[in-house]
Amino acid sequence: MRVEFVFIPLDGEEPDHGLAFEMPGIPQKGDHVTITRPGQAGAASFIVRRIHWTLDYPGPAMARCGARPVIGTTTAAIVECEFEPGPFSFEEHKPAPAHP
């Protein structure tokens, strides 16, 4: 299933980018997701916060009992994540050192 990840910046601004993946399932709220890329040292780590589903129902009314069933489809699954800095994070994802 195609899953699109949307990343919420640490400062709470609107999502600035997303990445799409073919996956065997949908990550759930609280799951940790790590994304690596070729040629880059480190990884991007996230925690899933919300899942947004977009569904398409082909009929104007609900299917009735005994009638031929009408089945809708999943149009999109968007997984909203927040950055979760970790020991193998890209340098730009690590928290700034505290100043004394």
Side-chain angles (χ1 to χ4, degrees):
M1 165 176 252
R2 183 188 155 127
V3 177
E4 184 174 344
F5 286 81
V6 175
F7 308 106
I8 307 300
L10 290 173
D11 54 15
E13 293 179 7
E14 289 296 314
D16 59 352
H17 67 283
L19 298 172
F21 294 88
E22 280 295 325
M23 299 181 70
I26 305 292
Q28 300 300 302
K29 181 177 179 178
D31 284 353
H32 291 253
V33 176
T34 300
I35 299 172
T36 60
R37 295 182 189 206
Q40 288 186 336
S45 297
F46 307 94
I47 294 180
V48 174
R49 294 297 179 211
R50 285 180 280 285
I51 296 91
H52 302 267
W53 294 93
T54 303
L55 307 176
D56 184 29
Y57 192 73
M62 294 178 55
R64 305 259 185 250
C65 184
R68 185 177 183 158
V70 177
I71 300 173
T73 58
T74 302
T75 305
I78 300 171
V79 177
E80 188 177 301
C81 298
E82 291 179 2
F83 289 102
E84 176 69 17
F88 302 107
S89 293
F90 296 128
E91 286 302 316
E92 62 267 22
H93 290 179
K94 290 183 179 178
H99 296 288

